Each structure stands twice: as C-alpha cells, then as structure tokens.
Amino acid sequence: MTLSPIRDKVRAGEPLTFEDGVALYRHANLLEVGALANDVRERLHGDRTYFNRNFHINATNVCVASCMFCSFARLKEGDAGAYTMTHDQAWAKLQERVDAGDPVTEIHIVNGLHDGLPFDYYTDLLAGLKRIKPDIHLKAFTAVEIFYYHQHYGLSVEEILRRLRAAGLDSLPGGGAEIFAPRVRKKICDDKCTADQWLDVHRTAHRMGLRSNCTMLYGTIETVEERVDHMLRLRALQEETAGFQTFIPLAFHPDNNALMKLPAPTGVEDLRTYAVARLLLHNIPHLKAYWIMLGVKTAQTALWFGANDLDGTVQEEKIYHMAGADTPQTLTSDEIVRVITEAGRTPVERDTLYNVVAEGEALRSAKPFRRPVRRSLEIVS
Amino acid sequence: MNRLRLAAVSFLNARPITYGLERGAGDEMFDLRFDLPARCAEALASGAVDLALLPLGSYATSPEDLRIVPGIAVASRGPVRTVLLAGDVPWQDMSSIALDAASRSSVMLLKLLNREREMSPSLVAVDHDEIGTAASGTRGALIIGDAGLRLGDRYPHIYDLGREWTALTGLPFVYAVWAGRPGMVTPEHVRVLRDSLRAGLDNRAEIARGWADERGMDPAVCESYLHNNIRYRLGAEELSGAAAFLHRAHTAGLLTRPAARLRFFDDGRLEHPTCNSKLAPALPLPRSELAFPRPNTTRSVDGLLADAAAGLRLGFDDAIRLYNDAPTLDLGAAADARRRALHGDSVVTYIIDRNVNYTNVCVTRCKFCNFYRPPGHAEGYTLSKEILAAKLQETVDLGGVQILLQGGLNPDLPLAFYEDLFRWMKANFPLAIHGLSPEEIRFIAEKENMSLRGVLERLVAAGLDSVPGGGAEVLDDDVRRAISPLKCSTDTWLEVMRQAHALGLRTTATMVFGFGETPAQVFGHLEHLRALQDETAGFTAFICWPFQAEGTRLKLKDDTTAMRYLRLFALSRLYLDNFPNLQVSWPTMGPDVGQVALRFGGNDFGSAMIEENVVSQAGAVFKLSAGDIERYVRTAGFEPRRRNMRYELLPA
Ligand code: SF4
Ligand code: SF4
C-alpha cells in the first residue's frame, strides 16, 4: 500500500481514522510507518528524550481479581507469595533513598485489589511518604484500584480521589486499561472495571485537575482492530479533557501466568505498535517506551519509532518481573543517559509532570554517539 | 532435445563469448546466428530465437519475463572504446546528437549521462553506415562498435561513455547478457556457454587477428580491446552496475516499467546473488587496473543514501559520513531496499547447525576471550570422539546439516589430528564441516611448517567443506595489537581466505566491533572484505556483532546498545555490495533486535541450535529453537526457509 494519503493527513495535522490505524498495522512497511511516526515525534519534541528518577512500591499483591495475564497477584493473605507491606516497610523504602542522597523525584505505587484493608491504609501510606520527603511526587493507584475503592468503601469516585489527594496523591498512573473491547476484557480481566468505568475515573481525575497517564496491554488475544479502537477511545477522552500526559503501550509477558501458551510480541510488533500509537494519538503529548518491559535494546530502538520517553530509573519492579521479564530491575541515570545518547537523542531528566530537572551539561556523562571519539583501550592483563 | 536457437550481436566484443560455439562446442544443443543488437532483441521477441545476447536495455524493456544466463556478460569498468560520443564541439555545446538504432543500451546510457549534465540535445536517428561521418558543427554523434575503434582522433572532442559511467557511479557498465524465456535453458546449456567463453578468453589474440584481417584493422588494437576494455564476468560488481543502470533509467523515465529485476536461469550448481542469494560464479578474469575516483563533489546524505539504495558502490569517506550523519531509519530504509533488490521480499533463511568448540586450550590469550585455558591448565579440554559423537548425533537428530567447528590454538594438535577428525566425522555423520577459522589454519601451517595452501588442500581432502570467518574482530592492525597481540595480522587473515577461495571453498566473514575502534577502522575492515570479494567472490555472508565485555579482561563498557549495531549493520549491507548475504546476530543482540535487523538489511537469521561457548561465556544468554526462529521471521513479515552453508534453500 502507499502511505501517501495517511502521510498527507499527518503532515496537515488531521486526525487519522480507524481505517487508517488498521491499515498502518496491517499493510504499511515497518520502516515507513516508523519514519512517519518519527517525523511527528521530532515535530513535537525534537531529539529531546525524557526519563525520570523514580522507584516503585507495590504495597500489596493480594487481589480479589484474577486477571489472566497477571503473575503478580495472590487471591488472599496467606497464599504462597502473598504479601502486604506494613506502613513502616513501605516508608522505609523512601527513607533509604533519602538517607543515601538519591535525588529520586517520583514514586509509582500500584497494588492488588485487597478486600481486607481499611481505606486509611492508603491515605496513611501516602501521608507518611510525604512526611519523609514533602516534594516527592506520588503517582499512585490505577483507575481500576480507584474504582474498586469506590465500590468497596461505598464512596464516590470523586470522594475517593479527593481524600487520596488530601493525603498526598499527585497524579494517576495509566495502568489497568488493558484493552477496552468487552470481548477481550471478558476473557482476560473479567473482574476489572469496564472500559467506560476506567475512562470515567480518568475523566473525573482530569476534571479535578489531576494529570494521568494511559496504557494499552497488547499481545494477548486482541485483534489489530481492537487495539486501534482502544487508542481511539483514549484519544476521544483526551479531546474532552486534555488530562493525559503520556501513552504507554505495554507488551504482554507470557511467563508464570494463565496465558503462558501465548508467545510474547516480538520486536518488530513492538516497534510497529509504538509507531502506530504515535500517529493515532496526535493529542497525547508523550509516548513512553517502558524499558522494563521492552528490554533496553528494543526501548532504545523505539526512540526512532515515535517514543520520546524511557520511563525512569525504576527500582524494585515486581509486576513484570514476576511475569518473567529478564531486564535489569534498575538502570542508573548514567546508563539511561548513555542509552539515549547512543541513540543519537538528547537526554532530559524530567519530573512526573514533564518539568525539566536536568539537561545538557548537567547530564553529559556519556560520550555522544553521533561524533564517536576514540576511547582509549584500557587493558588490564 | 530440440536445439536451442541463439542470436548473438555481430560485434567483436561478443566473439569470445561465442568462440567455443562457433567451433562446434555444443553443436547438438545450439544453433547460432549473428545480428545487430536491436535485431537480436526483435528475434527473441518474435520467437525466432530462444536465447539472445541482448543489450541490457532491451532486457529491461522486454514485455516478457526473461531470465539471464548467470556469470556471463559484456561489460566494462572504465573506458570501453566502442561507445563514444564524438563531435567538433565539447559535449555541453552540442545542440543535437546523431545516433543509429543499433544499441538501445548505449542510447539509454547517453540519455542518462545527458541528464546528469543537465543537458537535453535533440537526438537524430541516422543510418548505421552514415554514423561515422554524422558529426559536424554543433551536432555530435554516438558511435558504437568497430567504428569506435577506428575513430582515432578524427574529432577534437571524444567522450568514452563507459568511462563516464564508471566515473559517475564507480561501477562497471553491463552492455549485454544472454537472455531468454524461463525454462529454455538447462544447467547443461549454461555449462557449455561458459565453456565457450572460457575458450574464447584463452584465444583472444586469435579472435583479434581474425577480426582485424577481415576488416583491415590493427590486430593489436583489437586484442588490447578484448583484454583491457571488455570484461566478461557477470559478478556481483557487474550486477550492481546493471542494477544501478536500470534504477537510474527508471528514475529518469527511460524505462516505463518499474526497474526490471535481474532474474536468472538456474545453473544447477552455484548460487547467484540476485536469485535466492545465489552466488555468481567467478570466472578467472583479470581485473581492470583502472581506478576511477568518483567526482569530488559534496553529496547530500539523502543523495548518498539514494545511490547506495540503488546499488551504487559506496565510497569510504561517504560511508563514514553516513555513519556519522544519516538518520537511523533512513539508513535502515536504504539497506532494506538493497536487501529487497538482492533477495526479493519473501524469504529469510536460517540454518540448523551446531557450534562445537573442540578444544579450549589456546596459546593466544586474546584479551577479550574468557573461553580459552592455557596449555597445562586443569580446565583445559579437547573433546573426545565419544563426546563429539553424542553432539553430532544429536545435531543430526534435530535436523542439523552442519557443524561449525572452532577451537583454541592448541599446540598439541597436529594436522593429522584434524585430518583424522574430519574423515571420521564424514564417515559417520551426514554433516557439512564448516570449520577452522583463518587463525587456526595459520596456526596449523606454522606448526607443521607448511604453506597455507598446503594445509587447506589437506583439510579439504579430509572433508573440510567451508571456512568460518571468525577471528577477524576488526581487521586493523592497531586494534588487533591492542586486543589480541598474538593473533594473526589483517593480511594473514585475508590471505587465508584468499587461498581458501582459490581452492573453491566458500567462507563467511565477520566483524566484532566495540573495542574502541574508530569509524575509519570499521570501514577499513569492510573495505578489506569488499576488495577481496571483488577478487574472489568467495564470501557467502557477512555477520557482525558488538563485543560482549562482561567477564573478560578488557575493561571496556559493553557496546551492546541496539542503535550502533543497527546502524553499522545497515551500513554493512550498503558497503558490502558484492556480498550476497547478511546474517543478523540474534545470539548477541537478542531475538527482538535481530528481528528488527531484518529490516535493516538482513536476509538470514543465522543458526537455530546454538552452542556458542566463546560468546556465551561473556554473558549472551539467548537461546532460540527452530520454531522460535520461524516465529520471529514470520512476525517480521517474511517466510522462514532452511538453508545450507552455501545459502541454498533446503526443501521446505
Ligand atoms: S492485574 Fe491487577 S487487578 Fe488484575 S489480578 Fe493482577 S493485581 Fe489484580
Ligand atoms: S579468541 Fe580464540 S585465539 Fe583468542 S584466546 Fe580465545 S580461543 Fe584463543
């Protein structure tokens, strides 16, 4: 197929249609889609490529839901591998960082849907973290969790968000969206809130002035059409609220879960999904290549297929690693800077809301890729 | 069998090709006649003949799906002397050019070169007999054939279009090829046609004398023409030239159909670069000594990439420029276009073989190697036949077709050890032996005080099938001295390969980068390989990967990010225009990046059953089964096919 009609629309800044999205997936040459997505990326961000310093807290893995792709959750306390952190344990994770002088700026907190914890558990958790480091950004609770709290504690979504915010919540992560199509949801995550409920939580959050991210889980049993539909529903909400900052495609990982027979998506499929996302989601500013899940090499390559963010230095990631991700659990900021620089891009350290924390000289600890200098061969015998 | 009806052009330069046929070789197979180039094309089109020595331009414009006889062409690299533009005034002042319709290729070449000079003189057709005197005033004339050899300095301004083409592109120009309808030509026909040419090449002096006598020409001029101007090989370089011509002609609107692909008759034996990666057979012809620097103009990155994508030879400085400045996806797209031109858009190959490291005892102590043990070390081993037998049998059981046999430089192992090992393997297992890198062959030669060739001959006699291209690292003696001071020099490495090719062995070539080498050293490596390949056409494939630092004595950071690999890989595809195959290195880069590399110029996914001690001890841990490989190849949009070492497809 020829890309020209789509290319013309992209150049003119017109939104692509559902059919365009499907055609980009099914027919277009990978490198052409990539190059077009790269044009958009460079128009929006030039060479700038963001990362942040963050770490994860997964406070509990006890979850009433049984999503097919989840290797993290345990049904009840006491099951093998089930855990719930005490507040002190969770707070200690931040305290250690602060004591070590680690300039972390964000904590990413997502948890199982625990039916035996009081709501205070969450508000106290946040408040305690803020006590330790008042300027830490708390990006916490997926829309699925928020909706569950609404049902479980009998409070409106708005009220839940209001109380969490009062305790220290700064923004919402984008997880739990999976795939919006009911056919797929029913099969792989029947216990989760519906697409409309998920979108509604974000709508409410945006209305209250909270920013959030959004995701899509790809590579299970969904069709290409269902992926495109998913992205277009995110785009429609963004049209209404402009509250999403970043879209993060998440590749399904097949180990240790009920979908083990499915193979994981391959590199070429990953890159195409990134490129298509960049082209369809013209109104969502950032596209994040989550290296924890893609692997550093593919994530680096994605920086030429539309992605402009590599996520963070991430430590103690549990969800993907319990599903068999064999990526390192942490990259130092030096390593991230090097990965970005060697891709021929410009690294920028950001905070959660994309304010610049450091760039240029402050980050220049890796040798530039475009002008390779001869490294001296240090040889130890 | 019906006799094949042949038409050949009646020019001097075709005579070596038809020499054997004219003297009765294959008489029962062929029926030969001579004609002007354009009429040969007509005869083929009307069905009056089955196979014609056809101008490339006619091949490209034929409405039929023709096939080319591999290995044979009328070509030149540099001056050809029989396609000349002559006139009283310089080219840029010519308002019209007279031409006869004798050769469509020459006319197309003229039009292309006019365009290149941004000129559009009117073209006037005249009779073939009048062309020699057609130029006058601001009218030039395109003079082809004998008239060119006789032209002397009759005109003040004479341009050799062969020279102009090579100056423009750095490539040979292909004037004519044997072409016919699919199915007409059998491997046996190809053999006789090649024999006919070989005899002709041996008798160029006689051909020249005969031709000159009949026409009152100078025999020395005719002979020099056949020796120094015309080349008869259709090798990778000529194919690049032909592809470049068709591409430029199409872009210039001279060919209405999309640039015709070069497709070949099966010669039953060797594989050819443009047809399922089959290798062109290298006829033993002298290479023209003439060097043609490309015009020294500053080209844009886009222009360089477009040329490279069209198959034009990429210069050293231009390659470094692209490495530094070209956007990654543009490099990929250009390399992808080259891959498509060479291999079509369907098949990606892989092989089932096994890497056996027969010994880890080694005296060379390379700094990047954590596999070897010095002689006398408690962990040193040489595999026994029992252990080998188990590995080989397992390989056979898993559908393997080859053993990649490499090891350290073990001073206890004489040539007889290898001869015995190979004979035993051949006697007991149906497996090809792809074995002993140049370094090991050199070591054996030194130990036995024999020539490289002598060792290779003995190994071939014992069963060696092909030679792996390992131990090349970076072919630059400064780098080599720094990382593996005891390893063979660049020249020795190349010499082993040259000798192996001369014996008819096919080999691969590798590059390991990331030792802190400069881009100039990287492209120097590729330049060495390209030059040797021009000479021998014996390399089947090129493979590169970044050095894996972990656990070795070199204190370097791993250079294993994907970006440098993909960029260098794409540039290798573009630079090594005469290498038929590029293999991706998933064992070091991971299958996802390996798969992406299929869109950066790769057409082979390597080996399914890996037991790669040298790399795996430095931390590469990927493992793929044949099923996994097929899935990666399929999801990248290709059809996976198994192959052997010669890159011949195995039955699906
Ligand atoms: S994905 Fe989330 S909601 Fe589903 S089972 Fe896992 S922890 Fe529970
Ligand atoms: S790389 Fe080869 S030659 Fe060098 S030390 Fe290792 S085994 Fe020996």
Side-chain angles (χ1 to χ4, degrees):
Chain A
M1 72 167 261
T2 158
L3 265 184
S4 350
I6 294 181
R7 187 176 291 122
D8 292 346
K9 282 193 206 174
V10 168
R11 297 227 164 109
E14 277 174 48
L16 298 184
T17 63
F18 178 82
E19 289 72 26
D20 293 336
V22 172
L24 287 172
Y25 256 118
R26 285 208 195 284
H27 302 299
N29 171 297
L30 175 73
L31 293 187
E32 283 181 39
V33 184
L36 195 55
N38 189 53
D39 285 351
V40 174
R41 179 249 205 253
E42 290 183 358
R43 201 165 65 204
L44 290 169
H45 307 289
D47 276 337
R48 291 164 78 83
T49 300
Y50 296 93
F51 72 97
N52 70 346
R53 291 179 204 251
N54 64 348
F55 72 99
H56 287 203
I57 293 179
N58 304 125
T60 178
N61 67 347
V62 174
C63 184
V64 297
S66 312
C67 303
M68 292 272 276
F69 51 82
C70 181
S71 355
F72 162 74
R74 300 292 182 271
L75 261 184
K76 28 182 212 314
E77 292 287 358
D79 286 356
Y83 73 87
T84 300
M85 290 178 184
T86 64
H87 284 140
D88 284 335
Q89 284 170 334
W91 295 336
K93 293 195 176 293
L94 176 58
Q95 191 63 56
E96 283 164 21
R97 297 301 159 85
V98 171
D99 294 346
D102 181 342
V104 56
T105 60
E106 170 195 285
I107 309 179
H108 172 96
I109 305 169
V110 298
N111 316 288
L113 309 177
H114 198 303
D115 61 353
L117 291 173
F119 187 56
D120 292 355
Y121 176 84
Y122 303 103
T123 47
D124 290 352
L125 173 69
L126 299 186
L129 292 168
K130 283 284 186 183
R131 260 197 311 279
I132 296 168
K133 189 168 165 41
D135 62 348
I136 194 86
H137 183 109
L138 299 178
K139 181 177 74 171
F141 314 115
T142 63
V144 172
E145 290 161 79
I146 303 287
F147 193 81
Y148 177 75
Y149 303 156
H150 147 70
Q151 289 179 315
H152 192 65
Y153 302 111
L155 298 166
S156 70
V157 165
E158 186 158 357
E159 182 59 18
I160 295 281
L161 286 171
R162 204 188 54 72
R163 291 189 191 190
L164 288 171
R165 193 182 198 182
L169 176 71
D170 292 302
S171 67
L172 298 189
E178 322 312 358
I179 283 279
F180 289 145
R183 177 192 79 90
V184 182
R185 265 189 124 61
K186 192 157 179 46
K187 287 211 181 105
I188 66 169
C189 54
D190 200 21
D191 306 328
K192 275 199 170 115
C193 62
T194 64
D196 287 336
Q197 290 161 342
W198 189 98
L199 288 163
D200 212 52
V201 169
H202 282 270
R203 184 180 285 112
T204 307
H206 295 168
R207 215 185 297 127
M208 294 168 65
L210 288 167
R211 310 305 299 273
S212 71
N213 292 338
C214 50
T215 60
M216 171 178 82
L217 178 74
Y218 65 96
T220 63
I221 55 165
E222 82 287 353
T223 62
V224 158
E225 286 77 4
E226 285 161 343
R227 289 184 199 172
V228 173
D229 166 72
H230 182 99
M231 291 192 244
L232 293 186
R233 294 181 70 162
L234 292 173
R235 188 171 83 181
L237 178 58
Q238 178 75 344
E239 216 40 52
E240 192 184 319
T241 64
F244 287 127
Q245 306 192 96
T246 307
F247 177 62
I248 310 142
L250 298 172
F252 160 69
H253 250 284
D255 292 354
N256 309 322
N257 56 43
L259 293 174
M260 257 163 94
K261 286 213 186 70
L262 290 178
T266 57
V268 161
E269 297 166 282
D270 294 329
L271 294 177
R272 186 181 290 270
T273 291
Y274 272 81
V276 174
R278 182 61 284 169
L279 293 170
L280 282 178
L281 298 176
H282 61 91
N283 56 1
I284 299 184
H286 303 284
L287 179 64
K288 184 190 288 183
Y290 188 35
W291 61 262
I292 280 272
M293 156 219 95
L294 282 177
V296 179
K297 292 187 176 85
T298 308
Q300 187 195 37
T301 312
L303 298 182
W304 286 88
F305 285 78
N308 68 300
D309 191 320
L310 269 191
D311 198 69
T313 47
V314 187
Q315 306 197 12
E316 301 233 7
E317 201 284 338
K318 289 224 169 66
I319 295 177
Y320 268 98
H321 283 91
M322 288 174 101
D326 48 13
T327 49
Q329 292 212 7
T330 171
L331 284 181
T332 65
S333 62
D334 270 6
E335 284 163 334
I336 290 198
V337 165
R338 179 164 169 260
V339 166
I340 295 172
T341 312
E342 287 194 359
R345 298 298 197 188
T346 310
V348 179
E349 185 189 338
R350 60 165 173 88
D351 66 11
T352 314
L353 301 174
Y354 286 84
N355 300 307
V356 173
V357 173
E359 62 183 322
E361 283 309 321
L363 286 176
R364 196 149 302 148
S365 50
K367 301 234 157 70
F369 169 69
R370 277 166 183 269
R371 298 269 175 274
V373 231
R374 176 149 198 197
R375 263 180 274 156
S376 67
L377 293 167
E378 284 176 72
I379 290 165
V380 255
S381 286
Chain B
M1 180 164 75
N2 282 338
R3 287 165 83 203
L4 212 57
R5 295 160 304 164
L6 306 186
V9 288
S10 53
F11 291 162
L12 170 58
N13 60 30
R15 288 299 153 115
I17 290 181
T18 54
Y19 181 89
L21 301 177
E22 289 174 64
R23 275 150 196 79
D27 245 356
E28 64 296 346
M29 287 192 216
F30 297 108
D31 176 9
L32 173 68
R33 62 183 244 208
F34 289 98
D35 220 326
L36 285 175
R39 286 206 213 109
C40 289
E42 281 161 25
L44 185 63
S46 70
V49 298
D50 304 310
L51 188 69
L53 193 59
L54 214 58
L56 192 62
S58 304
Y59 168 82
T61 48
S62 164
E64 285 176 80
D65 172 30
L66 299 178
R67 295 287 189 278
I68 294 172
V69 172
I72 305 175
V74 180
S76 75
R77 185 189 169 91
V80 58
R81 298 180 67 193
T82 48
V83 184
L84 304 176
L85 175 64
D88 291 334
V89 296
W91 195 340
Q92 63 270 17
D93 297 330
M94 290 178 189
S95 59
S96 65
I97 296 175
L99 35 89
D100 67 28
S103 163
R104 203 191 279 256
S105 287
S106 307
V107 174
M108 282 167 69
L109 177 57
L110 174 70
K111 289 183 180 169
L112 270 184
L113 294 170
N114 275 336
R115 262 179 69 100
E116 204 60 40
R117 296 169 166 248
E118 297 179 357
M119 294 187 43
S120 43
S122 54
L123 302 181
V124 195
V126 301
D127 246 27
H128 184 56
D129 303 331
E130 289 164 21
I131 193 75
T133 54
S136 75
T138 61
R139 172 198 275 194
L142 178 66
I143 294 173
I144 64 172
D146 286 350
L149 293 177
R150 284 195 249 218
L151 198 60
D153 47 11
R154 269 231 304 286
Y155 290 95
H157 299 279
I158 297 179
Y159 302 86
D160 187 307
L161 299 195
R163 175 198 287 272
E164 298 291 327
W165 168 261
T166 304
L168 175 70
T169 62
L171 291 167
F173 191 82
V174 174
Y175 300 91
V177 291
W178 282 120
R181 273 175 283 282
M184 295 306 296
V185 171
T186 64
E188 184 57 13
H189 286 127
V190 176
R191 194 186 58 73
V192 176
L193 290 170
R194 285 198 193 143
D195 287 347
S196 169
L197 169 59
R198 210 163 278 134
L201 293 176
D202 290 342
N203 293 287
R204 276 176 276 196
E206 177 202 322
I207 296 171
R209 225 178 301 114
W211 186 270
D213 286 353
E214 269 175 45
R215 291 164 181 79
M217 293 168 65
D218 179 352
V221 167
C222 294
E223 192 182 338
S224 155
Y225 171 68
L226 294 181
H227 265 291
N228 300 326
N229 296 104
I230 300 298
R231 30 203 275 163
Y232 291 93
R233 182 174 75 169
L234 184 56
E237 226 195 323
E238 289 75 21
L239 288 168
S240 290
F245 173 64
L246 297 181
H247 178 83
R248 280 175 185 256
H250 177 60
T251 326
L254 301 177
L255 288 175
T256 43
R257 295 185 308 141
R261 272 187 54 204
L262 298 170
R263 309 177 71 175
F264 296 86
F265 290 114
D266 185 7
D267 62 3
R269 189 171 51 99
L270 293 168
E271 301 219 18
H272 202 276
T274 47
C275 164
N276 291 333
S277 64
K278 291 187 173 186
L279 264 182
L283 291 178
L285 296 177
R287 248 168 80 72
S288 161
E289 301 299 334
L290 300 161
F292 282 84
R294 295 178 62 148
N296 192 12
T297 49
T298 332
R299 309 280 323 279
S300 70
V301 162
D302 286 352
L304 288 175
L305 278 174
D307 279 2
L312 303 196
R313 185 154 274 206
L314 187 56
F316 181 80
D317 294 338
D318 290 343
I320 292 180
R321 171 112 181 276
L322 291 179
Y323 175 79
N324 285 329
D325 295 337
T328 300
L329 289 197
D330 294 1
L331 277 178
D336 194 42
R338 278 313 291 153
R339 180 199 50 73
R340 200 176 315 116
L342 292 170
H343 301 285
D345 226 350
S346 53
V347 171
V348 161
T349 50
Y350 72 97
I351 189 167
I352 301 196
D353 69 355
R354 177 169 208 156
N355 190 348
V356 173
N357 299 123
Y358 58 92
T359 182
N360 68 344
V361 175
C362 185
V363 295
T364 309
R365 314 174 77 99
C366 301
K367 295 184 170 130
F368 53 82
C369 177
N370 54 7
F371 159 77
Y372 81 90
R373 297 291 177 272
H377 193 284
E379 289 165 16
Y381 71 77
T382 299
L383 293 183
S384 67
K385 280 191 183 151
E386 291 68 50
I387 295 180
L388 275 171
K391 286 180 185 284
L392 300 183
Q393 190 53 49
E394 200 189 357
T395 308
V396 173
D397 295 344
L398 287 165
V401 296
Q402 162 177 290
I403 292 293
L404 167 53
L405 192 73
Q406 295 185 106
L409 307 185
N410 185 336
D412 291 338
L413 304 180
L415 177 55
F417 165 85
Y418 298 95
E419 292 183 306
D420 172 62
L421 179 64
F422 290 4
R423 292 214 160 87
W424 170 80
M425 283 171 73
K426 283 290 180 182
N428 294 290
F429 305 94
L431 293 166
I433 303 177
H434 183 46
L436 306 190
S437 63
E439 180 66 19
E440 290 160 88
I441 290 167
R442 177 207 58 116
F443 184 71
I444 298 169
E446 253 167 44
K447 180 179 161 61
E448 301 284 346
N449 207 1
M450 288 172 66
S451 68
L452 293 171
R453 182 158 191 131
V455 170
L456 280 163
E457 274 166 358
R458 295 258 303 260
L459 292 172
V460 169
L464 179 65
D465 292 295
S466 59
V467 174
E473 274 75 63
V474 180
L475 290 173
D476 177 282
D477 287 336
D478 286 344
V479 177
R480 299 179 83 72
R481 265 192 293 279
I483 62 174
S484 52
L486 299 182
K487 238 182 189 170
C488 65
S489 67
T490 300
D491 285 348
T492 307
W493 192 95
L494 292 167
E495 185 56 27
V496 175
M497 288 308 195
R498 183 179 287 114
Q499 297 289 346
H501 296 166
L503 286 174
L505 288 174
R506 291 304 169 90
T507 79
T508 54
T510 62
M511 175 171 76
V512 185
F513 57 89
F515 297 108
E517 69 286 337
T518 62
Q521 288 167 324
V522 166
F523 289 101
H525 179 111
L526 297 181
E527 179 58 39
H528 281 306
L529 296 179
R530 187 166 78 177
L532 182 57
Q533 179 76 337
D534 269 349
E535 193 182 317
T536 64
F539 289 116
T540 52
F542 174 76
I543 311 135
C544 66
W545 65 89
F547 161 62
Q548 319 266 310
E550 208 181 300
T552 70
R553 287 179 297 146
L554 276 184
K555 254 199 188 167
L556 289 172
K557 265 206 156 204
D558 264 23
D559 190 353
T560 52
T561 61
M563 210 42 66
R564 188 155 128 96
Y565 172 72
L566 289 173
R567 292 175 68 87
L568 274 181
F569 188 76
L571 274 161
S572 303
R573 174 64 284 172
L574 297 175
Y575 203 82
L576 298 175
D577 55 354
N578 52 8
F579 270 63
N581 302 293
L582 254 79
Q583 189 183 112
V584 307
S585 179
W586 64 261
T588 51
M589 294 311 299
D592 292 310
V593 175
Q595 185 195 31
V596 174
L598 294 177
R599 287 289 169 201
F600 280 72
N603 67 295
D604 186 84
F605 214 71
S607 170
M609 205 178 64
I610 283 281
E611 187 180 327
E612 225 296 25
N613 290 339
V614 178
V615 175
S616 66
Q617 295 206 354
V621 287
F622 305 102
K623 279 206 167 57
L624 293 186
S625 67
D628 293 331
I629 284 190
E630 300 217 339
R631 186 165 61 80
Y632 277 99
V633 169
R634 279 215 176 82
T635 50
F638 298 98
E639 180 202 343
R641 289 288 303 272
R642 289 190 194 174
R643 63 157 173 91
N644 60 19
M645 187 272 164
R646 287 176 171 265
Y647 284 78
E648 292 155 348
L649 298 186
L650 301 177

